[in-house]
Amino acid sequence: METARDVLKVLAGRCAFGDIEALTPLALPKEQVAPLAALCAFGQRVLDLDAEDFGMPEDVGEVPKDLLDRARASRMPQTPKEQPRGALASLRPAYALLLEVIEIRWRRREMAALVAAVHIASEYLPMLAWEPVLGHAGDPALIGAAVTGEGSRFGVAIEPGSARLCDHTRPERSACERTLRVSNEPGPGWRAYLDRQHSQVSQALGDCASRCRTPCSVMSRIDEPVRARLTARCKLAADFTDSALVRLRHAAPVGHGFGVPSPEEVETAWARSRASLRHQPLGKAALDGAADGGYPLPGLPALFSAIAGAEIVPDGLLREVTTRITASL
């Protein structure tokens, strides 16, 4: 006969942190509840990709500092001067975490949440591609040096009646203009920018490298070999954003409909996406050489690595939370 602890261990293996937190007061002595509740609240926050609160203390108890520090690497700073800079310093830890979350959502057969995580990944892929060139992940406090100056059209309004030389959309131009000044705004303005416009800056930078018909000094100042590699990475990022896998969001509650894709539909969409992404030389090299050790979307870690210009593998943060919960039980 299964005991309550056995059931809790099974739930831990499924990363069902919210269920464990709800059940522990009924199954465990009072002195064991608080430490587990803190781990569960932390794990659920990370699984939900609640990035603005990554690394923050939990109201229900104390989370081990090493776990908080690992989460902070993927946190979006909530004030312009906040240190460390988290996902504005580098997006690589965030993409490692996204890969782990996608894998867990697959195991739990939570396809709507999986598609939502894939969509988040698609929005910031161009910024991930630019990171080796910028030296950071589009931090508004630092980006000006790389995109302003003579000959730049980054964030510059188009004069009425003049020829349109920049391919950025109006929302993208507005976001680019905002990113150059938002680090001097108060906290509410900063957070509004992150919520509504930072991903548009990512897409705009991707357009600069992959689609612009009349490049300005944002691109021309970059040495040719570096520029060629950047363009290849951004073209691959753009193709992923337009892929069948990302388009699944329009059939899920995170999109514009009411359906949720089945695991079989996700597999089919990813197979179609891989076939399309192989048309890019960089995509073909990444996917043909992928050895993902049973990852549910084969080749996705290799694809993200190719776009980043650095190896990215699924994180183990949530697995570590599970291990500590199981040990406590």
Side-chain angles (χ1 to χ4, degrees):
M1 177 182 241
E2 288 185 335
T3 67
R5 289 176 186 269
D6 292 331
V7 173
L8 291 173
K9 288 178 182 179
V10 171
L11 291 172
R14 286 177 48 78
C15 296
F17 303 118
D19 294 337
I20 299 170
E21 185 177 2
L23 291 172
T24 47
L26 306 176
L28 299 177
K30 186 175 181 180
E31 63 271 13
Q32 286 187 270
V33 171
L36 276 174
L39 282 172
C40 289
F42 171 80
Q44 191 63 49
R45 188 187 301 282
V46 174
L47 184 61
D48 289 340
L49 296 172
D50 185 11
E52 66 181 25
D53 291 325
F54 280 178
M56 299 299 289
E58 298 295 341
D59 294 337
V60 293
E62 186 175 348
V63 179
K65 184 178 182 301
D66 64 311
L67 296 181
L68 290 175
D69 288 343
R70 287 177 65 178
R72 286 190 184 105
S74 300
R75 171 180 163 84
M76 276 292 185
Q78 295 301 291
T79 62
K81 309 302 181 186
E82 181 180 314
Q83 296 292 338
R85 300 302 278 170
L88 293 179
S90 175
L91 280 167
R92 293 169 189 172
Y95 273 84
L97 182 59
L98 280 166
L99 286 171
E100 184 182 20
V101 167
I102 289 168
E103 185 173 16
I104 290 169
R105 294 300 190 184
W106 174 266
R107 291 204 318 263
R108 290 169 55 123
R109 290 300 189 258
E110 295 172 347
M111 296 300 107
L114 181 150
V115 169
V118 167
H119 176 250
I120 292 171
S122 73
E123 286 197 316
Y124 291 98
L125 272 181
M127 201 79 84
L128 183 70
W130 269 86
E131 188 175 317
V133 176
L134 295 174
H136 54 85
D139 190 336
L142 303 173
I143 197 171
V147 296
T148 59
E150 185 177 356
S152 172
R153 294 190 287 272
F154 187 91
V156 177
I158 297 176
E159 294 292 334
S162 62
R164 179 176 173 176
L165 298 176
C166 180
D167 286 336
H168 288 167
T169 64
R170 183 175 296 177
E172 286 175 343
R173 286 198 303 275
S174 177
C176 290
E177 187 274 332
R178 182 85 182 278
T179 199
L180 296 174
R181 58 181 172 82
V182 72
S183 60
N184 294 316
E185 293 185 13
W190 170 265
R191 290 187 288 274
Y193 161 81
L194 290 178
D195 287 343
R196 300 169 194 165
Q197 293 183 295
H198 193 57
S199 63
Q200 291 178 321
V201 173
S202 174
Q203 297 301 315
L205 285 170
D207 290 344
C208 288
S210 66
R211 297 176 175 173
C212 186
R213 293 166 295 180
T214 54
C216 68
S217 64
V218 170
M219 292 299 295
S220 63
R221 73 184 71 187
I222 303 172
D223 292 341
E224 174 54 34
V226 176
R227 186 164 69 243
R229 291 192 293 271
L230 172 62
T231 295
R233 294 197 302 272
C234 285
K235 283 183 176 179
L236 188 57
D239 277 6
F240 180 83
T241 299
D242 293 335
S243 70
L245 181 65
V246 176
R247 288 200 301 271
L248 280 178
R249 72 179 290 265
H250 297 293
V254 294
H256 306 299
F258 294 98
V260 176
S262 67
E264 293 74 21
E265 288 173 318
V266 170
E267 286 180 320
T268 299
W270 179 231
R272 290 172 54 199
S273 299
R274 288 202 311 270
S276 175
L277 292 164
R278 280 191 170 94
H279 293 155
Q280 294 279 353
L282 184 61
K284 179 174 173 57
L287 293 170
D288 287 353
D292 294 321
Y295 193 78
L297 299 181
L300 189 62
L303 187 78
F304 287 173
S305 297
I307 292 170
E311 184 180 25
I312 298 179
V313 298
D315 202 343
L317 177 57
L318 290 167
R319 185 169 62 249
E320 177 63 23
V321 174
T322 295
T323 298
R324 296 192 190 191
I325 289 174
T326 303
S328 297
L329 294 170

